[in-house]
Amino acid sequence: MKALGQAALLCALTGVAGIATWKIKGAPDRTVPCEISQLKEGEICLLTVMAEWQNNVVWVDSRLRSDWEKDGLPGSLLITTANGENFDQLLEQAVPSLAEGKNVVVYCSDVGCGTSLEIAKRIREFGLAPEVKALHGGWKALKQAGLIPPKPYESFINDSAH
């Protein structure tokens, strides 16, 4: 019984310390840093896209179809190989949009996702756009930048927190 009491006390102290740290230091920084010098070949930072390419971009989602349908960037195209999707068929459907002379930015879910690099490489091989790059940080970077609209329940949670 004594061990259980000590464990409960330890948990309570840990919780208080965590809350105190949050109050003093603030929420943890969960932003997606993007250092141009650290980018892999074929990657681009969101800030670069927004500053240099602005509205001259076709966005391509390389995540699962269900993720794209649920919370893809509005107006983005789905081109992926995830879950056995047919890349050639999806690319063929996207050709009219890709051939508009705009740059193409492919995104997947997060920093560690390599799917966007692979899809960007495959699109680049067809020569349909002036530039084809993979977005460093993927969907997470888009979400943090406020480009992915919040779901109704997210707005409720955020509004009630203030």
Side-chain angles (χ1 to χ4, degrees):
M1 203 52 138
K2 183 177 179 183
L4 187 59
Q6 288 175 339
L9 178 62
L10 186 58
C11 286
L13 290 174
T14 303
V16 168
I19 291 170
T21 301
W22 183 287
K23 290 287 186 184
I24 294 167
K25 304 275 286 169
D29 181 10
R30 289 182 170 45
T31 58
V32 177
C34 191
E35 293 290 330
I36 293 173
S37 64
Q38 301 296 317
L39 293 177
K40 296 176 186 169
E41 184 178 342
E43 278 188 322
I44 192 166
C45 293
L46 183 57
L47 287 176
T48 304
V49 173
M50 303 309 281
E52 297 177 14
W53 294 359
Q54 299 167 357
N55 294 328
N56 193 33
V57 176
V58 174
W59 293 94
V60 172
D61 195 322
S62 65
R63 301 176 303 150
L64 295 171
R65 177 179 294 274
S66 59
D67 290 340
W68 173 67
E69 290 171 347
K70 179 178 72 173
D71 57 15
L73 183 66
S76 64
L77 307 172
L78 176 69
I79 303 178
T80 187
T81 55
N83 276 1
E85 293 275 0
N86 186 324
F87 173 85
D88 294 330
Q89 184 178 19
L90 292 171
L91 182 64
E92 184 179 326
Q93 293 168 359
V95 165
S97 296
L98 296 176
E100 292 177 357
K102 294 183 176 184
N103 297 312
V104 175
V105 179
V106 183
Y107 66 92
C108 55
S109 57
D110 206 338
V111 175
C113 176
T115 307
S116 58
L117 283 166
E118 179 60 31
I119 297 296
K121 178 182 172 215
R122 290 178 71 175
I123 293 172
R124 199 177 304 115
E125 290 171 354
F126 285 90
L128 296 170
E131 291 278 346
V132 182
K133 300 282 186 175
L135 180 64
H136 178 80
W139 180 89
K140 187 175 180 183
L142 293 168
K143 178 80 171 166
Q144 288 175 351
L147 298 174
I148 303 293
K151 300 296 175 218
Y153 69 87
E154 289 175 334
S155 295
F156 174 76
I157 291 170
N158 291 335
D159 290 344
S160 64
H162 297 299

